[in-house]
Amino acid sequence: MIINELAKYYEILARDERSGVPPYGYSNAKVGFALNISAEGDLLDVIPLHVEEQVGKKTKLFLRVLTVPEQKLRSSGIAPNFMCDNSTYVLGIDNKGKPKRSKNAFEAFKKLHHEILGAARGQAAKAVLAFLDKWKVDKSKQHPALKDYLEEILKGSNLVFRLDGTTGYLHNDEEIKKLWEDYNSKDEDDIFGQCLVTGTNTAIAKLHPVIKNVKKAQSSGASIVSFNAPSYESYGKKQSYNSPVGKKTAFAYTTVLNHMLSSQKQKIQVGDATTVFWAASPEEIYTDLAAELFNPTITQEGKKGSNEYKRDAHIEQLVNDVLTKAKSGQRINDLDGKIDPKTKFHILGLSPNASRISIRFFHSDSFGGFTEKIAQHYKDMEIVKDFDNRPSNIPIWMMLNETISPKSTNRDAPPLLAGAVMRSIISGAPYPASLFNAVMIRVRTDMDDKDKNIQRVNYVRVAIIKAYLLRNARLYKNKKLEEVLTVSLNEHSDNTGYLLGRLFAVLEKAQQDANPGINATIKDRYFASACATPGAVFPILLKLAQHHISKSDYGYAIERRIESIMVKITNFPSHLTLEQQGTFILGYYHQRVALFQKSDN
């Protein structure tokens, strides 16, 4: 199903000239230099093809991406590519210290081009063959045309050809393209069979092209479908013949997947899962909207996600309108008039696994259904801000960061947790209990530290706790608990955990009023035990509060607040369940924010 949907998306993009997706038999490659040759095959000069791109506040040079004849999967053997390859094959030189192998690679490159272009009559093809015939590998490094860029060329950049006095690259010459396509369509070693995806009888791919740009996977690329040991093979079949997929289908799904992974526009990072998303439409507005929904633009300086890219202001406004409607309970029925809510939408999470890639999650829905589920997620996460600079819509990466110890050197969220969180968001299912447990552990364990910007009860953690409890209460029809879980302070709630949290916040405020500038409060010493075993702690805190009230100038006001809460508490339980501890933390946060909002007013 995944390969099928990817292949369909390739067909959609292939029909759209704006997409930049290469046709069958071609691939996109990063190219560093063009060799400018004469019609007689002499190397005249080298043209650098680097392009400038803005990265943050800096301008950096990147290799130019060109559509070239398909570059084959290469392992340890010598396997030249047509019209575009590195210096080992094109010039017979590199910095690997194996001159004999480099020379053999050049000879293989030369043989391939004679095989394909031997019958050519055009000037372009003849110039390439003349260059290869004239080139002296032993004197390559001394060639005057190479001296300015030799060091960079030897690093392994791809090289292409240009014919002096003409425009464009030689691999785009019509005759060369025709000869390549004829050569590529014939393979005497092809095995024919029924493709599992299309059902047609066609040439089966022995090896599928590799997938690149998956975080922590091999930089040279990794496979989704591969068999490299006898224990995985059946009926005497070798490699990918065990799961027959047509060569064109294998090309289509890997090409479109690499196309999405090569840019920041259609991918986000969720834990270890590099996640791509696409709609069954060539229109970019679907992916632009989805990217903004997954990772809302935030204005907090220095807190942007690593995969942040410049978004369209119109898209940001549209997403903001959608989320505002969802939070106010309005129906999301109009998405700019340019979007069909029934368009199929897919989300695929890929995780590294040695030289292979595993599927962390795959989800399909209509675009309207996807939008509603994401909007519901942000609505569940909505909570009153303790500071104005907090993001209104908390990105997923910020949620996952709160499950990691702030003192840990490993800043990656657990892979299984990240995948489970993503699945719950895009499917509308309950959030994983492991997310709630991880946040509760951080609240109990971490201590406030202004220097390291650590806050044990912070905006994001409480938003996660509230969202987890609220979604469970709604899905399991616990109306009584659902009414407690409000965005801001709920003074009418009689939930014991919530009231105890509120009471703790007021007692802490009493202590701070009596001792202005105090370094450590009752939160540092008693918060975790008050949250878990209130019956053992609150009698001590209430006794301390009397002392604090007597010292404070406005003790009578605090005393009235304590009384207004105490009147609803019938007893102090000996212990609270984990969910009740969640309502305790929510009550503490709500009351804490309300106390300081009132003092500001």
Side-chain angles (χ1 to χ4, degrees):
M1 182 178 181
I2 297 171
I3 292 177
N4 196 11
E5 295 298 340
L6 285 168
K8 287 179 182 175
Y9 187 49
Y10 171 81
E11 296 299 333
I12 291 171
L13 293 186
R15 290 192 290 270
D16 183 9
E17 294 180 355
R18 301 167 299 170
S19 67
V21 171
Y24 178 66
Y26 294 83
S27 60
N28 289 335
K30 294 178 179 177
V31 181
F33 300 92
L35 303 179
N36 188 32
I37 59 176
S38 67
E40 294 74 31
D42 296 317
L43 178 60
L44 302 178
D45 54 11
V46 175
I47 305 168
L49 299 180
H50 299 84
V51 291
E52 290 186 349
E53 287 185 19
Q54 196 75 22
V55 180
K57 296 179 180 178
K58 297 181 179 177
T59 301
K60 292 187 176 180
L61 288 175
F62 290 91
L63 300 178
R64 189 185 298 264
V65 177
L66 297 178
T67 299
V68 299
E70 186 181 5
Q71 298 197 305
K72 305 292 184 182
L73 177 61
R74 202 149 52 195
S75 55
S76 57
I78 291 176
N81 291 314
F82 183 63
M83 295 300 291
C84 175
D85 215 320
N86 58 40
S87 64
T88 306
Y89 287 88
V90 180
L91 302 174
I93 51 173
D94 56 29
N95 54 9
K96 296 177 182 174
K98 297 179 179 177
K100 188 177 178 182
R101 185 185 184 279
S102 302
K103 194 169 184 177
N104 290 338
F106 172 76
E107 292 299 330
F109 185 78
K110 183 175 162 183
K111 183 182 176 185
L112 174 71
H113 284 69
H114 271 286
E115 186 177 349
I116 298 174
L117 303 177
R121 297 182 177 180
Q123 188 182 39
K126 287 181 177 177
V128 174
L129 294 180
F131 166 78
L132 294 174
D133 290 338
K134 282 186 175 182
W135 189 250
K136 304 295 181 188
V137 173
D138 297 336
K139 300 178 180 178
S140 296
K141 292 186 179 178
Q142 288 77 42
H143 197 289
L146 295 178
K147 63 178 182 181
D148 292 339
Y149 304 104
L150 184 60
E151 190 176 341
E152 285 185 72
I153 288 173
L154 294 182
K155 288 180 181 176
S157 297
N158 280 322
L159 309 172
V160 294
F161 296 97
R162 284 193 71 165
L163 184 61
D164 190 46
T166 62
T167 57
Y169 305 103
L170 290 187
H171 60 262
N172 289 329
D173 178 79
E174 289 301 324
E175 185 187 29
I176 291 178
K177 285 173 69 175
K178 177 72 170 53
L179 290 169
W180 162 249
E181 288 162 12
D182 289 344
Y183 172 83
N184 192 48
S185 63
K186 299 172 187 173
D187 192 340
E188 294 177 355
D189 297 330
D190 275 350
I191 292 179
F192 285 79
Q194 188 178 34
C195 173
L196 287 179
V197 178
T198 62
T200 56
N201 196 37
T202 183
I204 302 300
K206 182 180 180 182
L207 293 174
H208 293 204
V210 294
I211 307 299
K212 296 181 180 179
N213 295 312
V214 173
K215 187 180 178 183
K216 294 188 178 178
Q218 286 184 351
S219 58
S220 57
S223 299
I224 288 181
V225 179
S226 68
F227 300 79
N228 73 335
S231 56
Y232 307 122
E233 297 173 347
S234 303
Y235 302 105
K237 295 181 177 178
K238 299 294 181 186
Q239 296 185 319
S240 295
Y241 296 134
N242 285 278
S243 58
V245 174
K247 289 175 79 172
K248 289 189 176 180
T249 304
F251 170 83
Y253 91 83
T254 53
T255 300
V256 79
L257 200 46
N258 280 321
H259 173 74
M260 289 189 281
L261 288 166
S262 64
S263 76
Q264 299 294 334
K265 202 169 184 179
Q266 275 181 268
K267 74 173 179 181
I268 57 169
Q269 195 66 38
V270 181
D272 77 331
T274 303
T275 304
V276 293
F277 44 87
W278 70 95
S281 166
E283 300 300 329
E284 291 188 349
I285 192 168
Y286 290 97
T287 48
D288 287 345
L289 265 174
E292 180 66 22
L293 283 166
F294 275 128
N295 198 4
T297 302
I298 57 176
T299 55
Q300 202 175 355
E301 190 174 352
K303 291 288 185 184
K304 290 189 175 184
S306 57
N307 51 5
E308 193 77 18
Y309 67 94
K310 192 175 181 180
R311 301 261 173 77
D312 188 304
H314 171 68
I315 296 296
E316 288 180 16
Q317 184 58 46
L318 186 57
V319 167
N320 193 41
D321 292 344
V322 167
L323 297 180
T324 303
K325 277 185 180 178
K327 289 176 180 176
S328 61
Q330 298 179 51
R331 186 174 175 79
I332 307 169
N333 51 9
D334 182 18
L335 291 171
D336 202 34
K338 299 178 182 176
I339 292 174
D340 180 3
K342 294 179 182 175
T343 303
K344 287 189 76 175
F345 189 75
H346 310 280
I347 304 159
L348 174 64
L350 304 170
S351 293
N353 183 8
S355 62
R356 292 172 186 76
I357 294 171
S358 59
I359 305 298
R360 179 68 70 190
F361 50 80
F362 178 66
H363 182 78
S364 292
D365 199 347
S366 66
F367 191 78
F370 158 75
T371 307
E372 287 180 1
K373 290 182 178 70
I374 288 282
Q376 183 64 54
H377 160 68
Y378 287 118
K379 185 179 179 183
D380 289 342
M381 288 284 291
E382 186 182 18
I383 197 164
V384 63
K385 298 178 185 177
D386 52 353
F387 296 103
D388 291 338
N389 63 350
R390 302 295 194 199
S392 298
N393 301 304
I394 301 169
I396 299 170
W397 62 266
M398 198 179 276
M399 290 174 63
L400 295 175
N401 275 358
E402 292 300 334
T403 64
I404 307 166
S405 170
K407 296 178 182 176
S408 172
T409 54
N410 182 6
R411 302 303 303 163
D412 291 334
L416 292 178
L417 170 63
V421 170
M422 190 65 179
R423 278 193 293 273
S424 67
I425 292 172
I426 57 183
S427 67
Y431 294 105
S434 53
L435 172 68
F436 179 67
N437 293 341
V439 172
M440 292 296 289
I441 289 171
R442 296 269 49 89
V443 171
R444 283 201 297 259
T445 311
D446 292 342
M447 302 297 287
D448 290 342
D449 189 332
K450 288 183 181 177
D451 296 335
K452 296 180 180 176
N453 198 26
I454 299 173
Q455 198 178 0
R456 70 190 303 177
V457 182
N458 63 31
Y459 172 67
V460 180
R461 289 178 182 178
V462 179
I464 295 170
I465 290 170
K466 181 237 173 188
Y468 173 83
L469 295 174
L470 180 59
R471 187 167 286 197
N472 276 1
R474 184 173 64 250
L475 294 177
Y476 299 120
K477 304 188 186 308
N478 187 346
K479 287 285 180 188
K480 197 171 180 181
L481 178 60
E482 193 175 346
E483 290 170 0
V484 178
L485 306 168
T486 52
V487 173
S488 56
L489 182 64
N490 181 359
E491 293 183 323
H492 304 292
S493 172
D494 59 357
N495 181 284
T496 303
Y498 189 78
L499 288 170
L500 291 172
R502 287 184 59 197
L503 179 60
F504 192 92
V506 175
L507 296 176
E508 184 188 25
K509 183 71 166 56
Q511 184 188 26
Q512 289 174 326
D513 286 350
N515 305 287
I518 188 172
N519 288 328
T521 68
I522 57 173
K523 188 168 78 169
D524 299 298
R525 185 171 178 182
Y526 293 106
F527 188 85
S529 52
C531 187
T533 55
V537 177
F538 270 93
I540 301 170
L541 298 179
L542 289 169
K543 191 175 178 181
L544 282 172
Q546 292 307 311
H547 171 66
H548 297 143
I549 290 169
S550 64
K551 283 181 65 180
S552 173
D553 293 338
Y554 300 98
Y556 62 90
I558 289 290
E559 193 166 23
R560 281 207 297 273
R561 287 199 182 99
I562 293 173
E563 286 174 0
S564 67
I565 298 170
M566 286 286 290
V567 73
K568 296 179 182 177
I569 299 174
T570 53
N571 70 318
F572 292 102
S574 59
H575 70 278
L576 297 180
T577 64
L578 202 59
E579 282 74 16
Q580 288 171 329
Q581 291 178 42
T583 58
F584 179 101
I585 294 167
L586 182 64
Y588 169 81
Y589 176 84
H590 276 166
Q591 185 65 60
R592 187 83 185 155
V593 173
L595 283 170
F596 284 95
Q597 282 180 338
K598 287 180 180 176
S599 63
D600 288 344
N601 294 336

CSV table of all heavy atoms in Angstrom, one decimal, residues 25 30 42 49 113 130 197 203 215 247 257 303 311 325 331 381 494-495 500 520 545 554 557 569 575 594:
chain,number,residue,atom,x,y,z
A,25,GLY,N,14.4,6.6,-15.9
A,25,GLY,CA,15.7,6.5,-16.5
A,25,GLY,C,16.6,7.7,-16.1
A,25,GLY,O,17.8,7.7,-16.5
A,30,LYS,N,23.6,15.7,-7.2
A,30,LYS,CA,24.3,17.0,-6.8
A,30,LYS,C,25.6,17.0,-7.6
A,30,LYS,O,26.4,16.1,-7.5
A,30,LYS,CB,24.6,17.0,-5.3
A,30,LYS,CG,23.4,17.1,-4.5
A,30,LYS,CD,23.7,17.0,-3.0
A,30,LYS,CE,22.4,17.1,-2.2
A,30,LYS,NZ,22.7,17.0,-0.7
A,42,ASP,N,39.2,18.2,-26.4
A,42,ASP,CA,40.2,18.7,-25.4
A,42,ASP,C,39.5,19.4,-24.3
A,42,ASP,O,38.5,20.1,-24.4
A,42,ASP,CB,41.1,19.8,-26.2
A,42,ASP,CG,41.9,19.1,-27.3
A,42,ASP,OD1,42.4,18.1,-27.1
A,42,ASP,OD2,41.9,19.7,-28.4
A,49,LEU,N,29.8,24.7,-10.4
A,49,LEU,CA,28.4,24.8,-10.5
A,49,LEU,C,27.7,25.0,-9.1
A,49,LEU,O,26.6,24.8,-9.0
A,49,LEU,CB,27.8,23.5,-11.1
A,49,LEU,CG,28.3,23.2,-12.5
A,49,LEU,CD1,27.7,21.9,-13.0
A,49,LEU,CD2,27.9,24.3,-13.5
A,113,HIS,N,30.6,4.4,-22.3
A,113,HIS,CA,30.2,5.5,-23.2
A,113,HIS,C,30.4,5.1,-24.7
A,113,HIS,O,29.6,5.5,-25.5
A,113,HIS,CB,31.0,6.8,-22.8
A,113,HIS,CG,30.5,7.5,-21.6
A,113,HIS,ND1,30.6,6.9,-20.4
A,113,HIS,CD2,29.7,8.6,-21.5
A,113,HIS,CE1,30.0,7.7,-19.5
A,113,HIS,NE2,29.5,8.7,-20.1
A,130,ALA,N,35.7,11.6,-27.9
A,130,ALA,CA,37.1,12.1,-28.2
A,130,ALA,C,37.8,12.5,-26.9
A,130,ALA,O,39.0,12.2,-26.8
A,130,ALA,CB,37.0,13.3,-29.2
A,197,VAL,N,2.7,-4.7,-7.1
A,197,VAL,CA,2.1,-3.4,-6.9
A,197,VAL,C,1.0,-3.2,-8.0
A,197,VAL,O,-0.1,-2.9,-7.8
A,197,VAL,CB,3.1,-2.3,-6.9
A,197,VAL,CG1,2.4,-0.9,-6.7
A,197,VAL,CG2,4.1,-2.5,-5.7
A,203,ALA,N,9.4,-6.4,-16.3
A,203,ALA,CA,10.7,-6.6,-15.8
A,203,ALA,C,10.8,-6.3,-14.3
A,203,ALA,O,10.4,-5.2,-13.9
A,203,ALA,CB,11.7,-5.8,-16.5
A,215,LYS,N,17.4,10.7,8.5
A,215,LYS,CA,18.3,11.1,9.6
A,215,LYS,C,18.9,9.8,10.3
A,215,LYS,O,18.2,8.9,10.6
A,215,LYS,CB,17.6,11.9,10.7
A,215,LYS,CG,18.5,12.4,11.8
A,215,LYS,CD,17.7,13.3,12.8
A,215,LYS,CE,18.6,13.7,13.9
A,215,LYS,NZ,17.8,14.5,14.9
A,247,LYS,N,10.4,-2.8,-12.4
A,247,LYS,CA,11.5,-1.8,-12.4
A,247,LYS,C,11.0,-0.4,-12.4
A,247,LYS,O,11.5,0.5,-11.7
A,247,LYS,CB,12.5,-2.1,-13.6
A,247,LYS,CG,13.3,-3.3,-13.5
A,247,LYS,CD,14.1,-3.6,-14.7
A,247,LYS,CE,15.3,-2.8,-14.8
A,247,LYS,NZ,16.2,-3.2,-15.9
A,257,LEU,N,10.1,9.5,-3.3
A,257,LEU,CA,10.5,9.6,-1.9
A,257,LEU,C,11.7,10.4,-1.7
A,257,LEU,O,11.8,11.2,-0.8
A,257,LEU,CB,10.7,8.1,-1.3
A,257,LEU,CG,10.6,7.9,0.2
A,257,LEU,CD1,9.4,8.6,0.8
A,257,LEU,CD2,10.6,6.4,0.5
A,303,LYS,N,14.0,29.5,19.3
A,303,LYS,CA,13.3,28.2,19.6
A,303,LYS,C,12.7,27.6,18.4
A,303,LYS,O,11.8,26.7,18.5
A,303,LYS,CB,12.2,28.6,20.6
A,303,LYS,CG,12.7,29.0,22.0
A,303,LYS,CD,13.2,27.8,22.7
A,303,LYS,CE,13.6,28.1,24.2
A,303,LYS,NZ,14.2,27.0,24.8
A,311,ARG,N,8.2,30.3,5.6
A,311,ARG,CA,6.8,30.0,5.3
A,311,ARG,C,6.2,31.1,4.6
A,311,ARG,O,6.5,32.3,4.8
A,311,ARG,CB,6.1,29.6,6.5
A,311,ARG,CG,6.7,28.4,7.2
A,311,ARG,CD,5.9,27.1,6.9
A,311,ARG,NE,6.6,25.9,7.4
A,311,ARG,CZ,6.5,25.6,8.7
A,311,ARG,NH1,5.8,26.3,9.5
A,311,ARG,NH2,7.1,24.5,9.1
A,325,LYS,N,-10.6,28.7,14.6
A,325,LYS,CA,-12.0,28.1,14.5
A,325,LYS,C,-12.2,26.9,15.3
A,325,LYS,O,-13.2,26.7,16.0
A,325,LYS,CB,-12.3,27.8,13.0
A,325,LYS,CG,-12.7,29.0,12.2
A,325,LYS,CD,-13.1,28.5,10.8
A,325,LYS,CE,-13.5,29.7,9.9
A,325,LYS,NZ,-13.8,29.2,8.5
A,331,ARG,N,-17.0,24.8,13.0
A,331,ARG,CA,-16.7,23.7,12.0
A,331,ARG,C,-15.7,24.3,11.0
A,331,ARG,O,-15.8,25.4,10.5
A,331,ARG,CB,-18.0,23.3,11.3
A,331,ARG,CG,-17.9,22.1,10.4
A,331,ARG,CD,-19.2,21.7,9.9
A,331,ARG,NE,-19.1,20.6,8.9
A,331,ARG,CZ,-18.9,19.4,9.2
A,331,ARG,NH1,-18.8,19.0,10.5
A,331,ARG,NH2,-18.7,18.4,8.3
A,381,MET,N,-4.4,20.7,23.5
A,381,MET,CA,-3.2,21.2,24.1
A,381,MET,C,-3.4,22.6,24.7
A,381,MET,O,-2.5,23.1,25.4
A,381,MET,CB,-2.1,21.2,23.1
A,381,MET,CG,-1.5,19.8,22.8
A,381,MET,SD,-0.5,19.1,24.0
A,381,MET,CE,0.9,20.1,23.9
A,494,ASP,N,-14.7,20.9,42.0
A,494,ASP,CA,-14.6,20.3,43.4
A,494,ASP,C,-13.7,19.0,43.3
A,494,ASP,O,-13.8,18.2,44.2
A,494,ASP,CB,-15.9,20.0,44.0
A,494,ASP,CG,-16.8,19.1,43.1
A,494,ASP,OD1,-16.3,18.7,42.0
A,494,ASP,OD2,-17.9,18.7,43.5
A,495,ASN,N,-13.0,18.8,42.2
A,495,ASN,CA,-12.1,17.7,42.1
A,495,ASN,C,-11.0,17.8,43.1
A,495,ASN,O,-10.3,18.8,43.2
A,495,ASN,CB,-11.5,17.7,40.6
A,495,ASN,CG,-10.5,16.5,40.4
A,495,ASN,OD1,-9.4,16.5,40.9
A,495,ASN,ND2,-11.0,15.5,39.7
A,500,LEU,N,-6.3,20.4,45.6
A,500,LEU,CA,-5.0,20.3,46.4
A,500,LEU,C,-3.9,21.1,45.6
A,500,LEU,O,-3.1,21.7,46.3
A,500,LEU,CB,-4.7,18.9,46.6
A,500,LEU,CG,-5.6,18.1,47.6
A,500,LEU,CD1,-5.2,16.6,47.6
A,500,LEU,CD2,-5.5,18.7,49.0
A,520,ALA,N,14.6,29.3,48.0
A,520,ALA,CA,13.9,28.0,47.9
A,520,ALA,C,12.5,28.1,48.6
A,520,ALA,O,12.4,28.7,49.7
A,520,ALA,CB,14.8,26.9,48.5
A,545,ALA,N,1.9,27.7,56.9
A,545,ALA,CA,1.2,28.8,56.3
A,545,ALA,C,0.8,29.8,57.3
A,545,ALA,O,0.8,31.0,57.1
A,545,ALA,CB,0.0,28.3,55.5
A,554,TYR,N,-0.1,41.4,53.6
A,554,TYR,CA,-1.4,41.1,53.0
A,554,TYR,C,-1.8,39.7,53.3
A,554,TYR,O,-2.4,39.0,52.5
A,554,TYR,CB,-1.4,41.4,51.5
A,554,TYR,CG,-1.1,42.8,51.2
A,554,TYR,CD1,0.3,43.2,50.8
A,554,TYR,CD2,-2.0,43.8,51.3
A,554,TYR,CE1,0.6,44.5,50.5
A,554,TYR,CE2,-1.7,45.2,51.0
A,554,TYR,CZ,-0.4,45.5,50.6
A,554,TYR,OH,0.0,46.8,50.3
A,557,ALA,N,-5.5,38.5,52.8
A,557,ALA,CA,-6.0,38.2,51.5
A,557,ALA,C,-5.7,36.7,51.2
A,557,ALA,O,-6.5,36.0,50.6
A,557,ALA,CB,-5.3,39.1,50.4
A,569,ILE,N,-12.6,21.1,50.2
A,569,ILE,CA,-11.9,19.8,50.4
A,569,ILE,C,-12.4,19.1,51.7
A,569,ILE,O,-12.4,19.6,52.8
A,569,ILE,CB,-10.4,20.2,50.6
A,569,ILE,CG1,-9.8,20.8,49.4
A,569,ILE,CG2,-9.6,18.9,50.9
A,569,ILE,CD1,-8.4,21.3,49.5
A,575,HIS,N,-3.0,9.1,49.4
A,575,HIS,CA,-2.2,9.1,48.2
A,575,HIS,C,-3.1,9.4,47.0
A,575,HIS,O,-4.4,9.2,47.1
A,575,HIS,CB,-1.5,7.7,48.0
A,575,HIS,CG,-2.5,6.6,47.6
A,575,HIS,ND1,-3.2,5.9,48.6
A,575,HIS,CD2,-2.9,6.1,46.4
A,575,HIS,CE1,-4.0,5.0,48.0
A,575,HIS,NE2,-3.8,5.1,46.7
A,594,ALA,N,-3.1,32.4,37.7
A,594,ALA,CA,-4.1,33.4,38.2
A,594,ALA,C,-3.7,34.3,39.2
A,594,ALA,O,-4.0,35.5,39.2
A,594,ALA,CB,-5.4,32.6,38.6
